[in-house]
Amino acid sequence: SSELTQDPAVSVALGQTVRITCQGDSLRTYYASWYQQKPGQAPELVIYRNNNRPSGIPDRFSGSTSGNTASLTITGAQAEDEADYYCNSRDTSGDRGVFGGGTRLTVL
Amino acid sequence: EMQLVESGGALVQPGGSLRFSCAASGFTLGGSWMSWVRQAPGKGLEWVANINQDGSDKYYADSVKGRFTISRDNAKNSLFLQMNSLRVEDTAVYYCTRERRGTYSYYGLDVWGQGTTVTVSS
């Protein structure tokens, strides 16, 4: 079982704001990162070190953390944001990586 | 442009072996921790293993420990994953990834290959 927990599915109306969450004890100690994966494609990093965007990622994507929960917020969701989103961090030992189970985002 | 290109995917029988390669371009692989991540058909991402810059530190997921070996050849800008005693549940797309890190912290996986597939079936 994953040490990071995500809701399996979330939906958002076009242009509205959505938050995807990730819970785990290791998030109190280690940074979270977030990945977007569209069908048939490799994942793409959208947030690293809790709240940093790689170059080329739209600023409607933002990240935050509080306690044992990391959040990815999409402000003004677009149709092209429909995808699976995964959080990632270290396990509680700090030695190994771990992913959340993923959240499928539907843009209505 | 930074790129990772995996190769070596195949159909293998249970108990068989396979070796994946990952070639880096656009950056010096020797300067980075590297990881392998896999995704079984229709499932989520699973972290598999990682290795530090000079290959002296390696870590594995419990599901592959003792069967898989991660290694690197910095002179050839390449990463490898040797997989032995393959099981049906190892069937997946395997991604080569680069770790983005600070001096003491892991930040995320910032470069991904397109993936290579192993199907373990009799």
Side-chain angles (χ1 to χ4, degrees):
Chain A
S1 62
S2 173
E3 296 181 35
L4 297 178
T5 302
Q6 297 181 240
D7 291 330
V10 171
S11 62
V12 61
L14 184 68
Q16 296 303 300
T17 296
V18 63
R19 178 159 55 180
I20 298 170
T21 61
C22 173
Q23 288 189 303
D25 286 342
S26 65
L27 296 175
R28 297 183 185 276
T29 307
Y30 303 107
Y31 292 117
S33 52
W34 290 90
Y35 306 83
Q36 178 192 69
Q37 186 179 33
K38 296 180 179 179
Q41 298 183 15
E44 180 183 16
L45 179 68
V46 294
I47 294 290
Y48 68 95
R49 201 189 179 197
N50 287 347
N51 55 13
N52 292 267
R53 270 190 322 275
S55 60
I57 300 301
D59 61 6
R60 64 179 179 272
F61 290 89
S62 62
S64 63
T65 61
S66 179
N68 73 335
T69 301
S71 300
L72 172 70
T73 300
I74 307 174
T75 303
Q78 303 299 303
E80 61 264 32
D81 300 334
E82 188 163 284
D84 293 329
Y85 290 87
Y86 295 91
C87 61
N88 164 249
S89 185
R90 313 307 286 170
D91 70 358
T92 49
S93 76
D95 292 332
R96 295 168 183 78
V98 63
F99 285 93
T103 298
R104 177 152 295 177
L105 176 66
T106 300
V107 180
L108 304 171
Chain B
E1 181 189 5
M2 294 181 290
Q3 270 195 311
L4 294 168
V5 179
E6 303 96 334
S7 59
L11 169 64
V12 298
Q13 292 189 336
S17 296
L18 197 63
R19 189 191 198 211
F20 288 152
S21 299
C22 171
S25 60
F27 69 100
T28 302
L29 185 139
S32 300
W33 280 76
M34 300 293 294
S35 287
W36 288 96
V37 174
R38 69 183 181 182
Q39 186 170 35
K43 302 297 184 181
L45 301 175
E46 180 185 13
W47 180 87
V48 173
N50 70 347
I51 186 169
N52 72 340
Q53 290 93 330
D54 66 4
S56 59
D57 283 337
K58 305 174 186 180
Y59 298 96
Y60 299 92
D62 289 342
S63 57
V64 307
K65 195 170 185 179
R67 300 187 298 122
F68 290 12
T69 302
I70 189 172
S71 62
R72 63 195 301 158
D73 184 339
N74 290 336
K76 296 183 178 179
N77 233 27
S78 294
L79 179 73
F80 307 101
L81 186 67
Q82 176 68 42
M83 302 181 293
N84 298 331
S85 303
L86 281 162
R87 304 168 180 169
V88 171
E89 55 265 34
D90 295 319
T91 295
V93 176
Y94 285 72
Y95 296 102
C96 171
T97 71
R98 186 181 79 164
E99 296 191 5
R100 182 164 184 163
R101 286 181 172 241
T103 304
Y104 301 109
S105 301
Y106 166 85
Y107 293 166
L109 301 167
D110 65 348
V111 184
W112 292 67
Q114 84 289 348
T116 189
T117 300
V118 61
T119 301
V120 184
S121 174
S122 54

